[in-house]
Amino acid sequence: MGDLEDFDHAFIQAPEHRPKLALSDADGIPTIDLSPIFNSVPGTDFPHHLVQQIASACTEWGFFLVVNHGVPPEKRRRIEAAAREFFGQSLEEKRKVRRNEWVVTGYFDTELTKNVRDWKEVFDFVVEDPTVIPASSDPDDTELTQLVNQWPEYPPEFGLSREICEGYVEELEKLGHKLMELIANSLGLPGKRFRDYFKGQTSSVRLNHYPLCPSPELALGVGRHKDPGVLTVLAQDDIGGLEVRRKRDGAWIQVKPVPDSFVVNVGDITQVWSNEKYESVEHRATVNSKRDRYSIAFFFYPSHSTIVEPLEELIGPQNPPKYKPYSFGKFLASRKRSNFKKLNVDNIQISDFKITT
């Protein structure tokens, strides 16, 4: 058991948010077989049963697993091996590519979620290099800035390389667009409805390492949160630790690892676009004292210039818009600031744009 006196208080969750270490695995989070996408005739609609599965998963859970997704296993294995290689280095070596308030790509090990420090270390990179976002969250500031990737300097055939990461991202982008076509169809929209939002995308990838924790009942690898983007596609190892807050009763449910699958969850933007037909759901990551855990998250984000609001096709007199429009770029700029500094207030949320009647 952990000792409150000996454990670094920066990591300690409030009692009501501490993990319970004996939870049942999620028996309801659906696993969806995407092979019909690749077997269907190009130009034809997706099979009705597949669209219905996506609609049901997004409505009931906000989370689902996908198998037979078309991502080559060797590309995933290469980036997983590279991540382990990178995180296995000395802290001094890793900090040569350390991120800070001004360079938000690279290595980081002191991130906050809900103003409590996470028990993890990460390596972040953006999909489009450089990626353009607003320089500040100030609505009157029109200045833009560029996010540029920084890579370890050792030879590219060793460890974490640009080539390995870009090869993986290329496949995840394809999968992300396919999933958004399915989600569009499940909302009664044309498959390509969302594609233009991703021109000049701000998508990113995070390699996560959750080291052994001496007091796993006091800390979390990532505290409870919702994802601000469109979709998140997560590759997790066989250790497990991802927990989802079940919509029907608020219970924390573990997502059991399924070999060669990806865990997908809808983000805040999809919640707003769908006018809350689909909801972004709280989730968190637990840690343990016996085995390190690794995961890779692909955050599918639109262009910084995207004004996020309920889609006009989905609103009307019977279903008025539930959110005011907001700038995703400004939202993102505000969120990035809160990851580094302990603030006196919670960071910006989509609930701040909710229309109250």
Side-chain angles (χ1 to χ4, degrees), residues 19-303:
K20 294 180 174 61
L21 300 183
L23 287 179
S24 60
D25 290 334
D27 52 4
I29 295 180
T31 297
I32 299 176
D33 183 347
L34 295 183
S35 58
I37 286 177
F38 306 102
N39 299 332
S40 60
V41 178
T44 60
D45 292 337
F46 291 129
H48 179 71
H49 76 277
L50 182 58
V51 174
Q52 288 303 111
Q53 282 181 295
I54 291 287
S56 174
C58 290
T59 302
E60 293 173 22
W61 282 94
F63 267 79
F64 53 94
L65 284 77
V66 293
V67 294
N68 298 320
H69 39 65
V71 176
E74 66 275 10
K75 290 198 175 182
R76 174 168 169 173
R77 281 195 293 268
R78 285 183 75 195
I79 194 170
E80 287 174 338
R84 287 171 183 265
E85 189 90 52
F86 174 77
F87 289 124
Q89 298 180 105
S90 69
L91 191 57
E92 179 187 19
E93 193 65 32
K94 288 181 284 195
R95 284 185 170 170
K96 288 179 181 177
V97 287
R98 193 173 191 270
R99 52 183 277 200
N100 55 46
E101 279 189 75
W102 302 275
V103 182
V104 296
T105 62
Y107 175 77
F108 201 59
D109 62 351
T110 54
E111 188 164 70
L112 305 169
T113 301
K114 306 288 187 191
N115 286 327
V116 180
R117 189 168 163 191
D118 295 329
W119 190 274
K120 69 178 179 192
E121 54 181 351
V122 305
F123 181 88
D124 290 329
F125 62 94
V126 288
V127 170
E128 292 199 357
D129 189 6
T131 287
V132 177
I133 68 164
S136 79
S137 57
D138 181 348
D140 297 322
D141 183 0
T142 58
E143 185 184 352
L144 299 175
T145 189
Q146 291 187 335
L147 308 183
V148 179
N149 287 330
Q150 51 175 339
W151 302 102
E153 290 182 357
Y154 42 66
E157 66 273 7
F158 175 80
L160 194 64
S161 73
R162 181 174 191 154
E163 175 214 357
I164 287 173
C165 292
E166 288 180 350
Y168 179 77
V169 159
E170 184 182 1
E171 300 299 333
L172 268 288
E173 273 191 276
K174 290 179 197 170
L175 176 58
H177 282 299
K178 286 289 185 190
L179 290 168
M180 288 312 297
E181 288 177 26
L182 279 164
I183 287 173
N185 285 172
S186 74
L187 292 168
L189 303 169
K192 305 292 187 187
R193 176 64 176 86
F194 297 111
R195 191 163 283 256
D196 285 349
Y197 289 111
F198 296 95
K199 292 175 180 173
Q201 66 181 314
T202 53
S203 304
S204 63
V205 173
R206 165 163 288 184
L207 311 180
N208 296 298
H209 174 221
Y210 304 100
L212 302 185
C213 179
S215 300
E217 72 284 358
L218 297 178
L220 286 167
V222 183
R224 73 198 192 284
H225 67 285
K226 299 180 180 183
D227 291 345
V230 176
L231 277 186
T232 302
V233 183
L234 181 79
Q236 62 170 346
D237 64 13
D238 61 351
I239 304 301
L242 174 64
E243 294 182 352
V244 174
R245 192 186 283 280
R246 187 163 53 194
K247 286 177 66 174
R248 74 168 184 263
D249 59 5
W252 285 106
I253 304 295
Q254 293 180 354
V255 180
K256 189 175 181 180
V258 173
D260 299 320
S261 69
F262 287 100
V263 184
V264 180
N265 62 284
V266 300
D268 290 345
I269 292 177
T270 298
Q271 176 170 319
V272 174
W273 277 344
S274 71
N275 208 31
E276 286 188 358
K277 180 170 183 179
Y278 299 157
E279 282 184 56
S280 177
V281 173
E282 263 194 334
H283 51 288
R284 67 187 187 184
T286 60
V287 287
N288 71 79
S289 59
K290 295 182 174 63
R291 294 179 68 186
D292 291 38
R293 177 173 177 254
Y294 298 85
S295 67
I296 303 170
F298 171 73
F299 300 109
F300 207 23
Y301 288 178
S303 160

